[in-house]
Amino acid sequence: HNNSHALRAPVANILGLLQLIQQETEEDHRLSELVSSLEKTVYQLDQVIREFEHLINQSKGGMNSMP
């Protein structure tokens, strides 16, 4: 749990910062597009981290349970 939090905390921070930037750049169409692209990439990274965490948890569960 601590490892996933350590990995996901920066992602959450980036997403929060992106929301603030988007609010400030609504007038600048090109910058807004760049921020949106960055946000999409961060969400993809977040999904990879979640999948990685799921695999780790499955691996730990498999090692702990005896057939």
Side-chain angles (χ1 to χ4, degrees), residues 33-48:
E33 286 179 1
L34 292 172
V35 169
S36 293
S37 294
L38 182 57
E39 185 177 32
K40 179 181 175 184
T41 301
V42 173
Y43 276 116
Q44 290 170 342
L45 175 60
D46 188 44
Q47 185 61 38
V48 169

Side-chain angles (χ1 to χ4, degrees), residues 3-22 38-47 49-50:
N3 290 335
S4 67
H5 179 73
L7 287 170
R8 295 197 61 244
V11 171
N13 290 341
I14 292 169
L15 289 171
L17 291 169
L18 284 171
Q19 288 178 348
L20 292 174
I21 291 169
Q22 275 186 321
L38 182 57
E39 185 177 32
K40 179 181 175 184
T41 301
V42 173
Y43 276 116
Q44 290 170 342
L45 175 60
D46 188 44
Q47 185 61 38
I49 291 169
R50 288 173 188 266

